[in-house]
Amino acid sequence: MDATDDDESKVKKTAIWMHDNPILLPPVEDSQQSEFLASFDKLFMLSNFYNSLLPKWIPEEKIFLTTNGIN
């Protein structure tokens, strides 16, 4: 199967691996926050430090703290 095949219906969960500082991402406008949160199941954060830099409007249940970083 190649990338042009319609395979989206098989996707169960969507995760975002935050490898770098989340402050470097473009800002999400207030009017776009709900759509942004609905676009993924979990944000994988590499450390408590990077986790603390996330916007406060991202709920805890959307965040997964990995053990692949320095706290």
Side-chain angles (χ1 to χ4, degrees), residues 5-47:
D5 291 335
D6 184 18
D7 198 38
E8 289 184 38
S9 63
K10 296 179 183 178
V11 174
K12 303 283 186 209
K13 299 279 183 178
T14 302
I16 300 173
W17 182 267
M18 294 295 297
H19 183 73
D20 289 315
N21 186 338
I23 292 176
L24 300 176
L25 295 174
V28 176
E29 301 297 325
D30 291 349
S31 62
Q32 298 172 322
Q33 290 176 2
S34 293
E35 183 179 354
F36 175 77
L37 292 172
S39 70
F40 64 92
D41 294 293
K42 291 285 184 187
L43 284 173
F44 284 62
M45 303 303 296
L46 295 183
S47 69

